[in-house]
Amino acid sequence: MAPPTPAYAKSVIKILFVSLIFDLLSFTLILPLFPRLLAFYRAQTDNAVLESIFTTLNAFKASFHRPISSRFDVVLLGGALGSLFSFLQAISSPFLGALSDRYGRRTALLYSMGGNIISVLLWVVATDFPTFLASRVVGGLSEGNVQLAIAIATDVSTPETRGATLALVGAAFSIAFTFGPMLGAFLASKTISLENPFAAAAVFSLALLVVETVFLYWKLPETRPLNEGPSRVDVKSERESKLEKKPEGEKGSEGSSAILLNLTHFLFLLIFSGMEFSLPFMTFDLFNHTSADSGKLLGFVGLLASILQGSFVRRYAPIVVVKTGLASAGISFFLLSRVNTQLELYVAAAFLAVTSACVVTSLTALVSFRTSEKDRGRALGGFRSAGQIGRATGPILFCTLYWWAGRQTAYMVGGTGMVGVAALVFTGIVS
């Protein structure tokens, strides 16, 4: 069977991009709703599970030397749920990747979509906190759309085009994270059920996933067919096969292994996710930011990241993009440690946008370059799992440092950590 033609690859990438927009809009709808949603469940009587969680969180708050406003109780709970979701992703990602290698990408993706639909169905009927918690657990265990979309994108791309192809995945992220929260906030104002005031957003999220699933079932081909012989994307010319092993501009030393890239992903997200979670605390302390103010800041970051994904990230080699993103991360942390005005905050946010646009997408491309076709799903699953472990633990560690030592120390330590991650990449991954 012939290798994928440019027209075939372009068609598959378009399908993936559309599906990711649907998927990530559904995922981001809930983000601005967490404070009100959790406050709604907390106001219910006879809520033993939620009260037990708040007791633990309050004990955590009480361990610090300075008082922490009760205003952040629901923020902490939202962070705890986010960490749980990431931890479950870390468990499930390698299994989903391995299943896609064995049974096909399309099959694994459709099963993942089924789990996502069940998760959102639980949210639609979540009139109490335990049902909502079950929704997040099911979602964490089944969410594999991004990981599998990346595997499909690498299946149909060549080493020369892979960085640009994966930049489109990053662009879908940036677009969804720019508009999804705004759409969620709008839908939260629409009440279709008094027992679940957020049912309108949940139903819309469900509709997006159902449409996405039908679209994928109808349009997406299997890029890794099940047969005894080589698959469509396994049959490459000799020149392409050599490039796959050591692509031009990305020829790595022995140190540029999957282990090193997984470690980089883990350390990066450990530090970066901690900063993301602490940012609302910092902006509230310094500028008394409201949720609307935080939304504007995140919208600025998302918009700038989208522009960078469509330009810089698509045009330059992944190793160059990763190094640029990590350097920007270090700069942003050092700036945040000294921020005193709104202008300074937005300058630091601009560097964060560079980091958001560059690092994870290009690290993923580097992993795909160093992985054989038959094990690509497993390798990308392990890579994602390493990052999700960092995302699950980073907020706890960073906020502990933030409240114990203060803003300047926390961000200086974070910036120093990012310099260390950058040094690991600059010295360990040779272009």
Side-chain angles (χ1 to χ4, degrees):
M1 190 177 291
T5 63
Y8 172 80
K10 185 176 181 180
S11 172
V12 172
I13 296 304
K14 284 182 178 179
I15 293 167
L16 289 180
F17 184 78
V18 172
S19 72
L20 281 173
I21 292 293
F22 278 103
D23 189 74
L24 293 170
L25 282 175
S26 174
F27 178 79
T28 56
L29 279 178
I30 196 173
L31 298 182
L33 309 185
F34 265 117
R36 288 176 55 198
L37 191 150
L38 296 175
F40 164 74
Y41 290 127
R42 193 180 188 187
Q44 295 177 339
T45 58
D46 192 24
N47 204 332
V49 174
L50 189 55
E51 287 307 315
S52 175
I53 294 174
F54 271 116
T55 298
T56 302
L57 291 176
N58 284 325
F60 174 68
K61 283 169 49 181
S63 66
F64 297 102
H65 72 280
R66 65 189 182 110
I68 301 168
S69 171
S70 59
R71 174 184 185 271
F72 293 120
D73 284 356
V74 292
V75 178
L76 284 171
L77 178 56
L81 290 176
S83 292
L84 172 64
F85 190 90
S86 295
F87 177 72
L88 294 170
Q89 284 271 277
I91 294 173
S92 64
S93 291
F95 291 100
L96 285 171
L99 286 172
S100 78
D101 285 337
R102 183 172 182 181
Y103 299 106
R105 313 285 191 228
R106 181 177 181 272
T107 299
L109 182 54
L110 290 174
Y111 275 113
S112 175
M113 290 301 306
N116 289 342
I117 289 173
I118 293 171
S119 169
V120 179
L121 273 173
L122 286 170
W123 181 26
V124 171
V125 299
T127 58
D128 54 45
F129 182 73
T131 305
F132 178 74
L133 183 61
S135 160
R136 302 305 293 170
V137 170
V138 173
L141 289 172
S142 60
E143 172 61 50
N145 305 49
V146 174
Q147 167 191 335
L148 294 170
I150 289 172
I152 293 169
T154 56
D155 283 344
V156 300
S157 63
T158 65
E160 300 97 330
T161 63
R162 190 158 302 153
T165 298
L166 294 182
L168 286 175
V169 177
F173 259 96
S174 298
I175 292 169
F177 274 82
T178 300
F179 296 104
M182 291 189 290
L183 183 58
F186 169 76
L187 291 169
S189 66
K190 309 300 179 183
T191 302
I192 62 175
S193 169
L194 294 178
E195 293 184 333
N196 181 1
F198 306 95
V203 168
F204 191 81
S205 179
L206 178 63
L208 287 173
L209 291 180
V210 171
V211 170
E212 180 191 359
T213 302
V214 173
F215 175 71
L216 288 171
Y217 184 85
W218 178 43
K219 284 287 191 179
L220 183 67
E222 177 55 75
T223 60
R224 189 171 177 76
L226 299 181
N227 52 48
E228 295 301 321
S231 70
R232 173 171 187 150
V233 294
D234 284 331
V235 182
K236 293 177 181 279
S237 67
E238 183 178 350
R239 180 182 66 84
E240 283 182 319
S241 296
K242 290 178 179 178
L243 283 170
E244 186 74 19
K245 293 177 183 176
K246 287 186 179 292
E248 188 65 31
E250 300 298 338
K251 297 177 181 178
S253 66
E254 288 299 318
S256 301
S257 63
I259 294 176
L260 178 60
L261 291 167
N262 287 356
L263 177 62
T264 301
H265 195 206
F266 164 74
L267 292 174
F268 168 72
L269 283 180
L270 178 76
I271 302 169
F272 192 76
S273 65
M275 177 280 303
E276 284 182 313
F277 188 64
S278 71
L279 203 57
F281 300 100
M282 188 199 77
T283 55
F284 177 73
D285 286 341
L286 291 178
F287 309 115
N288 198 31
H289 263 198
T290 64
S291 297
D293 294 323
S294 296
K296 290 177 184 177
L297 183 64
L298 293 176
F300 169 76
V301 172
L303 180 60
L304 183 54
S306 298
I307 295 171
L308 289 168
Q309 288 279 2
S311 53
F312 173 72
V313 177
R314 286 177 55 82
R315 294 175 183 172
Y316 289 87
I319 187 64
V320 174
V321 177
V322 169
K323 290 177 178 179
T324 302
L326 290 173
S328 296
I331 293 170
S332 68
F333 271 77
F334 292 130
L335 289 175
L336 287 170
S337 72
R338 299 291 180 180
V339 159
N340 289 304
T341 67
Q342 293 274 7
L343 177 60
E344 292 171 346
L345 175 64
Y346 272 81
V347 170
F351 283 99
L352 291 179
V354 176
T355 302
S356 296
C358 292
V359 177
V360 174
T361 297
S362 297
L363 280 176
T364 304
L366 292 174
V367 171
S368 73
F369 286 139
R370 291 157 173 81
T371 306
S372 66
E373 287 281 353
K374 66 177 182 178
D375 295 324
R376 180 165 289 154
R378 186 191 301 273
L380 290 172
F383 173 77
R384 182 171 175 80
S385 178
Q388 292 301 316
I389 292 173
R391 191 175 287 281
T393 54
I396 299 170
L397 296 177
F398 197 88
C399 284
T400 297
L401 179 62
Y402 183 94
W403 285 323
W404 269 111
R407 168 177 64 109
Q408 290 189 0
T409 299
Y411 284 103
M412 286 296 290
V413 170
T416 303
M418 280 298 184
V419 170
V421 177
L424 180 67
V425 172
F426 274 77
T427 59
I429 303 177
V430 182
S431 62

